[in-house]
Amino acid sequence: MTTPLRAELRLENGLVGKAGADRIALIEAIAETGSIAAAARRVDLSYRAAWDAVQVLNNLFAEPLVVAVHGGAKGGEASVTPQGAQVVASFRLMEEGLRRTLADLQDQLAGTGGVALPSLIWTLGMKTSASNALRGVVKIIIDGAVNAEVVVRIGETAEIVAVVTRQSVSDLGLTPGATAVALINAGSIILATADAELRTSARNSLRGIVSEIRQGAVNDEVTLDLDAGKTLTATVTSESLRRLGLAVGEPAIALIKASHVILAVA
């Protein structure tokens, strides 16, 4: 499920402040009520915050947008100047232009088979503390009484299984064919040599080639190349790495419990 994309216009002067849709709404409310206090209530601001916002707005432009008489907690009379009315009208016009531009961009990307704009922006802007964020497509969902098992294909052969609550499946809009990102902390990954004959309860067993080892004082970071250009980074103790005898260019297995995989969607 893709969250609808919305453009937000914000005007900024690094010296004196910034103005966005919330402050434009405050000007509109002042124009309608004739009072900063009443306008503050309408846009869900405290009187102090509204008064401060008016001062910032007046500082942003060559002429004041709002003329007000400070009336204390009960407020006082206030009016929007012709300059303020022009700013509101211009802002709303630019906002509408942004909306149309955004819609046109989405239509153009859809027509060329490109990545959907909301998904592109969300993916590039996503921040997470997890060392690994692997994008894929939901292959299948196995429903349970409380939890569900979600299989996400991240490459031609590589898959990651996550166990999440049924409510999470519903909240995230997960269905077969939907795009999802699997988030995995490096410390949740157990490494093994590729020739090891293992019987383990870990639901995920991903094979790859060691492409990088970054050594630390206590722990080391080991990066595996998976298929389809994906990589996976694990954190292990230096002693464990020494015992495994892993080196760059050698195959290895990453073991991950399904309950340690977090799913995210745009």
Side-chain angles (χ1 to χ4, degrees):
M1 180 177 64
T2 300
T3 302
L5 197 62
R6 181 176 63 88
E8 181 174 308
L9 177 64
R10 185 171 293 272
L11 306 176
E12 183 170 349
N13 182 322
L15 297 176
V16 293
K18 55 190 176 182
D22 52 347
R23 287 179 173 172
I24 294 300
L26 175 62
I27 299 178
E28 292 173 325
I30 292 173
E32 293 174 6
T33 64
S35 163
I36 292 179
R41 290 191 295 270
R42 178 172 295 188
V43 299
D44 197 24
L45 285 176
S46 68
Y47 176 76
R48 181 73 258 173
W51 181 263
D52 289 344
V54 166
Q55 290 181 315
V56 169
L57 288 168
N58 284 343
N59 288 337
L60 267 174
F61 296 90
E63 299 177 22
L65 308 189
V66 175
V67 175
V69 176
H70 203 311
K74 294 184 179 179
E77 294 184 355
S79 61
V80 175
T81 66
Q83 172 77 358
Q86 290 176 2
V87 167
V88 169
S90 297
F91 186 94
R92 293 307 184 193
L93 186 62
M94 288 188 290
E95 200 172 46
E96 176 60 21
L98 274 180
R99 187 196 65 76
R100 290 197 303 269
T101 299
L102 198 60
D104 289 342
L105 281 173
Q106 293 186 83
D107 289 343
Q108 290 175 32
L109 285 172
T112 61
V115 178
L117 192 56
S119 178
L120 178 65
I121 292 176
W122 179 83
T123 301
L124 294 178
M126 183 177 67
K127 296 181 179 179
T128 172
S129 63
S131 302
N132 301 286
L134 303 172
R135 187 185 185 90
V137 176
V138 176
K139 177 181 177 182
I140 188 172
I141 299 175
I142 303 173
D143 207 8
V146 178
N147 295 326
E149 189 175 87
V150 182
V151 181
V152 179
R153 179 180 288 132
I154 61 171
E156 294 181 4
T157 60
E159 297 176 350
I160 290 180
V161 180
V163 171
V164 298
T165 64
R166 296 180 66 195
Q167 185 62 48
S168 293
V169 171
S170 175
D171 291 344
L172 295 175
L174 295 174
T175 57
T179 299
V181 176
L183 304 175
I184 308 166
N185 282 318
S188 299
I189 301 172
I190 297 174
L191 293 181
T193 57
D195 59 354
E197 294 183 5
L198 301 173
R199 297 180 66 184
T200 171
S201 63
R203 186 69 174 82
N204 296 287
S205 178
L206 299 173
R207 292 180 175 269
I209 302 296
V210 177
S211 61
E212 183 181 12
I213 297 177
R214 298 181 63 184
Q215 296 181 330
V218 177
N219 295 324
D220 295 339
E221 280 190 356
V222 181
T223 300
L224 302 183
D225 282 347
L226 308 177
D227 68 358
K230 297 289 197 301
T231 61
L232 191 69
T233 299
T235 299
V236 298
T237 64
S238 300
E239 178 60 22
S240 294
L241 187 61
R242 186 188 66 79
R243 290 181 180 180
L244 288 172
L246 289 177
V248 173
E250 295 185 352
I253 300 173
L255 303 173
I256 310 160
K257 294 183 65 174
S259 58
H260 289 170
V261 180
I262 297 173
L263 297 181
V265 299

